[in-house]
Amino acid sequence: HRPETDQFGIHSFVYRQRRPFHPERFHAFLNSDWPGVVRAKGRFWLASRPAWVGQLSQAGALVRHEAGGFWWASVPKDRWPADEAWQRWRESVWDPVFGDRRQELVFIGIGVDETVLRARLDACLIQAPEARALRDRRLQLVDPFPVWRMEGAKEEPRTDAMTG
């Protein structure tokens, strides 16, 4: 038996980065063509929404993005689970600057130019001068994404910084 990945040339890769996406640049990426990609999914974070986990789901021509909850870095520590398994997971993903915030997107397709797609995604990331300006509140980002709300959330988590 020959696996479908070999038979049809299906390839996948995971895009991981710690810096946030610039909302306008990432929004433009989402509304552009992704040659060869047939499925994409995962989590992302926007520099304009440091508390929020963004969820991406793409199948064929349909691209969906929405709130996926809150990053643990934005939740007060007294609300974190005390469970040992959760603590191990947290330690495995935690970054001293960004906490658990990260880009983690899986792309699956046929004939996808991974190098080109990675470069396009990298171009959506906040660059160092922009990050400094954001921290110093000298930069206001235009955010074209719709408002995200969580059903049943009593309060928004803190959004004061991009740090954990």
Side-chain angles (χ1 to χ4, degrees), residues 13-17 19-22 25-30 32 34 37 40-41 43-45 56 103-107 112-127:
F13 72 92
V14 181
Y15 178 82
R16 288 187 179 98
Q17 287 291 337
R19 287 182 288 149
F21 284 133
H22 185 288
R25 293 194 296 258
F26 187 58
H27 192 266
F29 170 82
L30 292 177
S32 69
W34 311 348
V37 175
K41 59 185 178 176
R43 296 175 170 195
F44 65 91
W45 73 291
L56 172 68
Q103 314 300 352
E104 196 167 271
L105 302 170
V106 178
F107 293 88
V112 176
D113 189 333
E114 181 179 337
T115 302
V116 168
L117 199 55
R118 283 183 183 279
R120 289 181 60 203
L121 287 162
D122 285 347
C124 296
L125 296 169
I126 287 287
Q127 302 304 310

Side-chain angles (χ1 to χ4, degrees), residues 18-20 45 47-48 50 95-98 101 126-141 159-164:
R18 282 296 182 161
R19 287 182 288 149
W45 73 291
S48 54
D95 178 87
V97 175
F98 301 121
R101 297 176 183 103
I126 287 287
Q127 302 304 310
E130 293 170 316
R132 284 191 295 277
L134 273 173
R135 275 192 299 273
D136 298 342
R137 302 202 192 299
R138 292 181 286 117
L139 177 64
Q140 296 294 316
L141 297 172
T159 59
D160 54 336
M162 288 194 304
T163 59

Side-chain angles (χ1 to χ4, degrees), residues 1-13:
H1 174 73
R2 191 169 161 208
E4 285 83 4
T5 53
D6 292 340
Q7 187 175 358
F8 299 108
I10 297 170
H11 170 73
S12 68
F13 72 92

Side-chain angles (χ1 to χ4, degrees), residues 70-76 79-81 86 89-90 94 100 158:
F70 303 117
W71 297 110
W72 284 106
S74 67
V75 175
R79 294 189 182 165
W80 288 5
W86 184 87
W89 169 83
R90 186 189 64 80
W94 204 260
D100 59 329
R158 66 178 194 267

